[in-house]
Amino acid sequence: YHHDTNWNLVVVASLYYIGFRKDKTMTEDSGKETKEDLPVEAGEEVDDDNDDDDDVVEGEANGDAKKKRKKKKKKKKSASAAAAAAPVGIIKEPCQKPPHRGLKETAFTDAHVKYGQTEIPSIPVAKLFQGKELPMGEIQPHALESQTYRETSQEVRARDRMLEDLYSKVRLGSEVHRQVRNFAQSICKPGIELADFCTQLENKNRELVQERGLEQGIAFPTGCSLNHVAAHYTPNVGDKTVLSYDDVMKVDFGVHIGGRIIDSAWTVSFNPKYDNLLKSVQDATDAGIRASGIDVRLCDIGEEIQEVMESYEVELNGKMERIKAIRNLNGHSIGPYQIHGGKTVPIVKGACEESIRMEEGEIY
């Protein structure tokens, strides 16, 4: 099964274009027009054929004036202007680190430039990957030995091929989410209003997914919950709450393609005293993913998550505090156009019936 992560990157070919101009020379007496198509070179300006100042009147022997077009001297653009005019689709190496703590060392807020995306992502993801394969994300082995046959079974592979349409929607949504997430992480700085942050994130989401009614777009309102608020807080219009240096913020947003929802969250902090808190959640999340798979009991996943998370401590105000899992904060299955699909994944031991398992075809 596939797990979407923000550090898996695939390099693809870039797109580029060549511009053309048409230079015209015309005389009234001949009535002839000469056209020459030439590529526009870097640093070159194109003539404005409608500039009246270019016309010069010559001779009046027969009372008829002849007009002759005079070409302007080509001007060279500055280096900065030439760089700004560079075509999109250039593959680059990511180099921008996030302004907040809590992400892995491999995280870059411009990770998408490896695909030929602009530094501030602006090319719709479907267009960026047109004719190319979308990234597959991280592939995990099956947690139970009884299910490992699926990795080599021809019958299972044949069933997978029948689901390619579903997988393509999920992978497209995942890549949109990754690139929007990169952008959102780049603007997560102390001093930003939460309402402004959510507005920018959601507008970028709409832009990259090419929002189109119920067919594709935002999956649910963005959550940005501060400190003691665990999840699901969304600022309303007029909310002036500002992100500060000592805050711990949980960001959660989603995107959908044809009702197939991609949902992912991350934690933002700036004060290094919270590093262990963020690391505990990161490691517990990875442990829960490794424990997941077809026929796995949901209660076993919760037990694994709790064990890892509560092995950490954090020092606050000179006192060591044990990190605890939030009993009523859970994962969940996702259905078409349904963010909570019916099954709940606990993050503590013994929080659900032992008979409830993950099943083939489900998305969590």
Side-chain angles (χ1 to χ4, degrees), residues 198-249:
C198 289
T199 297
Q200 291 190 59
L201 186 156
E202 291 177 354
N203 285 341
K204 185 58 63 178
N205 200 350
R206 293 185 178 98
E207 180 184 5
L208 297 190
V209 76
Q210 293 177 294
E211 185 180 51
R212 189 165 63 249
L214 294 177
E215 293 181 31
Q216 56 197 55
I218 294 174
F220 52 85
T222 300
C224 51
S225 308
L226 294 182
N227 305 322
H228 64 282
V229 181
H232 301 160
Y233 173 80
T234 300
N236 292 318
V237 176
D239 190 326
K240 297 298 182 181
T241 305
V242 173
L243 182 64
S244 70
Y245 175 79
D246 282 320
D247 284 333
V248 176
M249 179 171 71

Side-chain angles (χ1 to χ4, degrees), residues 99-326:
H100 59 83
R101 310 178 74 85
L103 301 180
K104 294 193 174 183
E105 290 298 320
T106 52
F108 293 93
T109 58
D110 63 342
H112 44 267
V113 300
K114 273 202 168 183
Y115 301 121
Q117 180 63 277
T118 52
E119 290 188 15
I120 297 177
S122 59
I123 306 171
V125 173
K127 180 179 179 182
L128 185 67
F129 284 91
Q130 189 171 4
K132 306 180 181 71
E133 288 189 7
L134 287 156
M136 294 181 66
E138 182 180 339
I139 300 176
Q140 293 276 349
H142 285 275
L144 299 181
E145 188 175 349
S146 62
Q147 302 299 321
T148 55
Y149 77 93
R150 296 174 177 275
E151 298 171 14
T152 56
S153 168
Q154 294 299 322
E155 181 182 350
V156 173
R157 290 185 178 184
R159 288 205 302 268
D160 280 347
R161 285 193 291 271
M162 295 175 66
L163 294 172
E164 271 304 316
D165 181 61
L166 167 62
Y167 295 158
S168 65
K169 289 178 180 177
V170 171
R171 287 171 185 155
L172 176 57
S174 298
E175 186 56 37
V176 171
H177 198 289
R178 264 192 294 269
Q179 296 194 17
V180 174
R181 190 163 69 237
N182 291 340
F183 167 76
Q185 288 166 350
S186 73
I187 63 173
C188 261
K189 301 174 183 178
I192 190 170
E193 289 187 2
L194 299 191
D196 181 39
F197 170 74
C198 289
T199 297
Q200 291 190 59
L201 186 156
E202 291 177 354
N203 285 341
K204 185 58 63 178
N205 200 350
R206 293 185 178 98
E207 180 184 5
L208 297 190
V209 76
Q210 293 177 294
E211 185 180 51
R212 189 165 63 249
L214 294 177
E215 293 181 31
Q216 56 197 55
I218 294 174
F220 52 85
T222 300
C224 51
S225 308
L226 294 182
N227 305 322
H228 64 282
V229 181
H232 301 160
Y233 173 80
T234 300
N236 292 318
V237 176
D239 190 326
K240 297 298 182 181
T241 305
V242 173
L243 182 64
S244 70
Y245 175 79
D246 282 320
D247 284 333
V248 176
M249 179 171 71
K250 287 71 65 180
V251 183
D252 185 11
F253 75 96
V255 61
H256 82 92
I257 307 289
R260 293 298 178 175
I261 298 169
I262 297 299
D263 174 13
S264 181
W266 78 97
T267 304
V268 174
S269 77
F270 307 96
N271 194 325
K273 70 180 181 180
Y274 297 120
D275 284 356
N276 254 19
L277 178 61
L278 273 60
K279 187 70 167 64
S280 71
V281 175
Q282 191 177 84
D283 288 352
T285 300
D286 289 343
I289 291 166
R290 286 193 300 270
S292 300
I294 294 171
D295 213 31
V296 171
R297 300 189 306 176
L298 299 185
C299 61
D300 292 338
I301 300 173
E303 183 176 354
E304 186 74 19
I305 292 171
Q306 183 179 24
E307 182 178 347
V308 173
M309 188 181 297
E310 296 189 354
S311 67
Y312 282 83
E313 292 181 326
V314 61
E315 183 178 353
L316 299 175
N317 302 319
K319 182 181 178 181
M320 297 303 297
E321 301 281 359
R322 181 184 173 190
I323 294 173
K324 302 202 70 175
I326 301 174

